[in-house]
Amino acid sequence: MFDIKWIRKNPDEFDAGLALRGLEPHAREIVALDFERRKIVAALQEAQSRRNQASKEIGKAKGAGDEELARGLIAEVADLKEQIRSGEEKERQLDGEILDLLASIPNIPHKDVPEGAGEEENVQIRTEGEVPTFDFTPKQHFELGEALGLMDFDGAAKMSGARFVVLKGALARLERALGAFMLDLQTGEHGYEETAVPCLVRDAAMFGTAQLPKFAEDSFRTENGYWLIPTSEVSLTNLVREQILDEQRLPLRFTALTPCFRSEAGSAGRDTRGMIRQHQFSKVEMVSITTPEQSEKEHERMTGCAEEVLKRLGLPYRVMKLCTGDMGFSARRTFDLEVWLPGQNCYREISSISVCGDFQARRMNARYRPENGDATTFVHTLNGSGLAVGRTLVAVLENYQNADGSITVPDALRPWMNGLEKIEKS
């Protein structure tokens, strides 16, 4: 969401930001609607003031025995009430039009975000780790998991349909170990507060993090109006909705391991096999709430927190800065971590870390009170995966596979695997 006062003062800058997103200019339309609304508000204030004054004059006229004047004032008050009713209805209509328009516009990119139309124009910042070599042809994760008898897509499909999986035995434990390892790392070493949050949320929470209204079809909704969270970013960020925080409490850092649910409405035909793109998956999410002065530094810090998971697991990866055409709706700037998958012979996204500025905070009315006593202002919000558990499982299987189809358990995970060193077919 945007500050209309800022748009009024910076219409060209606003439209230039939208152009980077491939959108038509909207500043003139927004300013015109806001001007009409402000005219109505001013007229309402004038009408209400006159109504109050006329109401007092009625009593005085009656007290003076001037019934003709009193009747005229009564008629005037009745007319003013109708003007006020009509004006308030028009104000509500314009408020709705302005809100709907602003809610449909994505965040303005940061000045250092590369311009581009899609993922082909993202910029590689660096690579980390050595891509493994094999003396055999590496398999994809679903081939490995099915051969082990521990990854069942057919059984999941019978009860739930496509894009679900049943993990069994050591692979189920490996997924659990990955989630626990990530949580312990983010809480024990990186200062995030572990949080158990609802997986069902109301419209307002989804609107606050900008999943609604634009991306309703990408999420699942229950018959009684709740939404299944597509990411715990929704729940964690909304922890500060409608609050005024003291500056000394910031930054706040939250993390949670939750199931996530996505309809994958726009992914027909993509990643139809395996665990890369599922309707249900687990993810460790990180959310930071900061001041505007802290947010860019916090973005770099959060990216490092996600990277550390991959480093500890010994997984090769690269860091990408997303271009203007590939960033998420709420983001001002996004770094993607892409892990190497030998079975696919390519890098695939495993984490997106974004700084949103005050875009989400305005939707949630989340503010802070500066220590210097200035007026309250909106916080900045950041979010990122630390990491997507299912995709990390995929990366471990493919990077640690052996010629006989077994999987070596990374050293970092063995404490959560009861010392198990290798996953083999039983």
Side-chain angles (χ1 to χ4, degrees), residues 11-283:
D12 293 338
E13 184 178 348
F14 179 73
D15 283 341
L18 297 187
L20 293 173
R21 288 278 201 168
L23 298 176
E24 296 296 320
H26 281 292
R28 180 177 295 180
E29 180 183 4
I30 293 168
V31 170
L33 286 170
D34 180 55
F35 179 72
E36 186 178 354
R37 178 192 173 279
R38 287 187 295 131
K39 276 202 312 181
I40 289 172
V41 169
L44 280 171
Q45 290 173 343
E46 185 177 337
Q48 287 164 347
S49 176
R50 175 55 192 156
R51 183 187 64 180
N52 293 339
Q53 182 181 352
S55 296
K56 294 176 182 178
E57 291 174 2
I58 291 170
K60 292 179 180 179
K62 286 185 175 182
D66 192 341
E67 290 299 326
E68 183 177 353
L69 176 59
R71 284 194 296 272
L73 290 168
I74 290 170
E76 182 184 2
V77 167
D79 182 60
L80 287 167
K81 285 183 178 179
E82 177 56 29
Q83 288 181 37
I84 291 168
R85 185 202 64 78
S86 176
E88 288 175 340
E89 183 178 336
K90 183 62 176 176
E91 182 188 2
R92 285 192 295 270
Q93 176 190 333
L94 287 170
D95 281 340
E97 289 182 29
I98 293 170
L99 178 61
D100 289 346
L101 180 55
L102 290 176
S104 69
I105 297 174
N107 205 349
I108 299 298
H110 189 278
K111 60 185 177 182
D112 70 3
V113 173
E115 187 174 351
E119 61 182 65
E120 298 79 10
E121 293 163 285
N122 295 338
V123 175
Q124 179 175 299
I125 298 175
R126 61 182 179 273
T127 61
E128 297 285 348
E130 294 292 327
V131 171
T133 57
F134 300 89
D135 56 7
F136 59 92
T137 302
K139 296 178 180 179
Q140 295 196 55
H141 67 281
F142 52 83
E143 298 172 301
L144 295 162
E146 288 177 328
L148 289 167
L150 302 177
M151 189 177 289
D152 184 2
F153 294 98
D154 291 338
K158 289 175 182 176
M159 65 178 105
S160 303
R163 298 193 186 276
F164 290 93
V165 66
V166 174
L167 298 178
K168 302 176 182 178
L171 287 194
R173 180 160 191 162
L174 183 62
E175 183 184 51
R176 175 161 57 93
L178 282 165
F181 162 70
M182 293 174 192
L183 272 183
D184 286 355
L185 177 61
Q186 303 304 351
T187 58
E189 298 187 30
H190 296 153
Y192 287 88
E193 180 181 7
E194 183 172 353
T195 314
V197 294
C199 292
L200 290 168
V201 297
R202 295 172 173 168
D203 289 1
M206 292 283 279
F207 179 85
T209 48
Q211 273 75 26
L212 292 181
K214 189 172 179 62
F215 301 104
E217 68 171 7
D218 294 325
S219 298
F220 291 107
R221 193 180 194 188
T222 66
E223 290 184 355
N224 58 351
Y226 288 99
W227 295 87
L228 291 166
I229 57 171
T231 162
S232 59
E233 169 201 342
V234 177
S235 305
L236 293 172
T237 310
N238 274 278
L239 288 173
V240 298
R241 71 174 296 110
E242 298 172 6
Q243 290 190 42
I244 299 176
L245 306 166
D246 289 329
E247 183 177 359
Q248 57 265 34
R249 291 184 59 195
L250 302 178
L252 295 174
R253 299 184 177 116
F254 305 116
T255 188
L257 169 61
T258 67
C260 304
F261 305 89
R262 297 184 184 175
S263 70
E264 298 294 346
S267 302
R270 297 179 61 190
D271 300 306
T272 53
R273 291 205 64 189
M275 293 179 59
I276 292 293
R277 202 175 296 275
Q278 298 246 290
H279 288 314
Q280 176 183 326
F281 58 95
S282 296
K283 183 155 67 80

Side-chain angles (χ1 to χ4, degrees), residues 353-399:
I353 305 101
S354 298
V355 56
C356 302
D358 63 6
F359 186 81
Q360 293 177 327
R362 289 182 179 278
R363 299 169 80 104
M364 299 185 301
N365 194 24
R367 294 169 289 162
Y368 76 98
R369 182 179 290 104
E371 290 182 347
N372 62 14
D374 287 349
T376 61
T377 189
F378 290 100
V379 298
H380 279 201
T381 63
L382 303 93
N383 63 80
S385 305
L387 303 166
V389 177
R391 291 194 178 193
T392 310
L393 175 67
V394 167
V396 168
L397 294 181
E398 295 196 13
N399 282 275

